[in-house]
Amino acid sequence: MDANAFNAAVRSDGSPLPELSTLTYQGVFNQHSYQTGGPEEVHKLAVSAYASRFEEEGSAGLWLACFLKSSRDGQPRDEVPMDLIVVLDVSGSMNWPVDGALRSGGVPRLALAKDALMALLPKLRPDDRFGLATFSNEGRVIQPLTFVSILQQDELQERIVALQAGGGTTISAGLEAAVQISGETDIKERHRRLLFLTDMDDMRPGQLDNMVAKQSERGLYVSFVGIGQNFKAELAEQVSKHRGSNYFCITRDEEMRKTIVDNFDWNFFPVAFDVEVTQQSDSFQLASVYGTPFDARDELVEAEWMPDVHRFYPLDFKSTVSTFLLCIQRQFPAGLPMPALQGIFSFLSSGVRSVIRVDTVFPSGVHADGAVDGGLILLRLRGGSGQVRLTLRYQAGERCFTTCQDVVVPDDESVPEAIRKGVILQRYVQTCREYLMLREPVCKDCDGFEDYATRVRCAFQNLDVLGQEFANDAANVDALCPGLRDQLHAFQEMAEKHAKRVLDSK
């Protein structure tokens, strides 16, 4: 969801290079805002896309900026009441500041969590229910699930203030306490959210996967707020692949309140499930996709034909399908099963690619100028001229929906701001990730060290070239992507120390 862990590692003087998984296209895209043409007024979820050609060095080609816009973007949560169960980590490590350095004199993690928790209570409505559990070595129920209208908030706040950190970390104990007070299962007329505030010291991917899956099946969606720089990308991926669940990384004091309180109406209320966007064109070939939850992987999935999107296919394809179905009726009066038809029709129209598949989409915050926080998916295509068709399928409530947008590639040289900004961010992430791929050293006495040293030198030079390009276009880069040049400069200094150690060892 963000690049907080990467930015925190870069800010930490003398720390080793951050792991590759801490820097993703989606994480960086989500830390910027974009003008997407105003709010969505027709559908709960819709695709909004812009296309343009670039001829600049390092980014030449056809680019398409795609956004998933929701009618709930920037809006208060809906009228459905909520059950919110907070599970608060009170282990000894919560006495440390967010940056993990006791000498820094920063605010303890537990104090930040308690302040945010007390600021969250006024966001709840009288018909909402609230529960609180803590855990260290053992779980403890602080507040049973209770309607806010009868909640003794003064007494509850006193109990929250009195909480002290100490002992080990056993997250499963906190989960047991939360489940104990969560009440009934599968309550469809209420939002049900389990919110973990923890530094994640005790969590393992397999354990987390099983835990989140079980709660999601019960209709109790899980949010993890990982406090501190001990970010584990594999944990974030395990959380986000389950329905209704998400993960945030807190590396600065102000990020806690922003995530839990300021963005409460958008971070914890899903707008759509089982979301898929496909791309289809008879003129362009999809080369790369940036900004999806799995953008660290080089995979473009062929999408299957589905009856609900048949109307969006080209006329010649529909004619072929009609002829084929007539032949089937003559040969097989009972017809063929749907999986067989899907396989055949998908083969006949292999140009359809799945751009993104996610279990859950949450609404976005909207700035005063109408810009939307994050949500960019950037496509790079190859080809001549024509149009691109984007088809969106998703589930909201008990219904499934399908919408479509045809994007015509303009012949002029105008570049929408969203694409210009997206390409700058894409180049930044790609160049930094190329260096992070060389994070693990190769022993100077081992085979392959010379090749490793050459790749380190080349990757560092690429960072230097990008930094110079950004400096030459400083006014434009700073206006579109505030703070990005400073982040790149800080990473260059970190990479320079790493490259010097490698090259001096030759």
Side-chain angles (χ1 to χ4, degrees), residues 389-439:
R389 170 162 292 165
L390 297 174
T391 303
L392 166 69
R393 292 200 299 267
Y394 65 94
Q395 179 182 343
E398 299 298 322
R399 296 181 58 194
C400 293
F401 299 85
T402 303
T403 62
C404 177
Q405 181 186 2
D406 286 333
V407 184
V408 178
V409 180
D411 294 327
D412 58 38
E413 297 180 356
S414 62
V415 182
E417 180 181 290
I419 292 182
R420 193 173 295 279
K421 177 183 293 191
V423 172
I424 290 174
L425 295 173
Q426 183 271 336
R427 293 194 64 200
Y428 163 78
V429 177
Q430 178 173 287
T431 307
C432 292
R433 281 176 61 90
E434 285 175 354
Y435 197 93
L436 289 178
M437 290 177 184
L438 304 171
R439 176 178 182 267

Side-chain angles (χ1 to χ4, degrees), residues 28-106:
V28 172
F29 289 174
N30 283 352
Q31 293 186 319
H32 293 264
S33 59
Y34 308 85
Q35 293 289 347
T36 61
E40 171 58 34
E41 298 178 348
V42 178
H43 304 284
K44 273 198 171 181
L45 198 66
V47 175
S48 178
Y50 314 86
S52 181
R53 297 185 186 279
F54 254 97
E55 299 301 333
E56 299 176 8
E57 183 179 355
S59 56
L62 174 66
W63 294 88
L64 191 149
C66 173
F67 295 90
L68 293 178
K69 294 173 57 174
S70 165
S71 58
R72 289 252 325 275
D73 289 343
Q75 299 298 312
R77 51 176 282 207
D78 59 25
E79 69 282 356
V80 179
M82 179 187 203
D83 288 350
L84 177 62
I85 303 167
V86 177
V87 184
L88 179 59
D89 187 347
V90 293
S91 62
S93 57
M94 292 290 286
N95 273 324
W96 289 63
V98 169
D99 63 7
L102 286 175
R103 64 181 182 278
S104 68

Side-chain angles (χ1 to χ4, degrees), residues 263-283:
N263 292 345
F264 175 74
D265 288 340
W266 310 304
N267 284 346
F268 306 118
F269 298 92
V271 68
F273 299 101
D274 300 327
V275 178
E276 181 182 33
V277 176
T278 60
Q279 174 268 346
Q280 184 179 20
S281 175
D282 58 359
S283 304

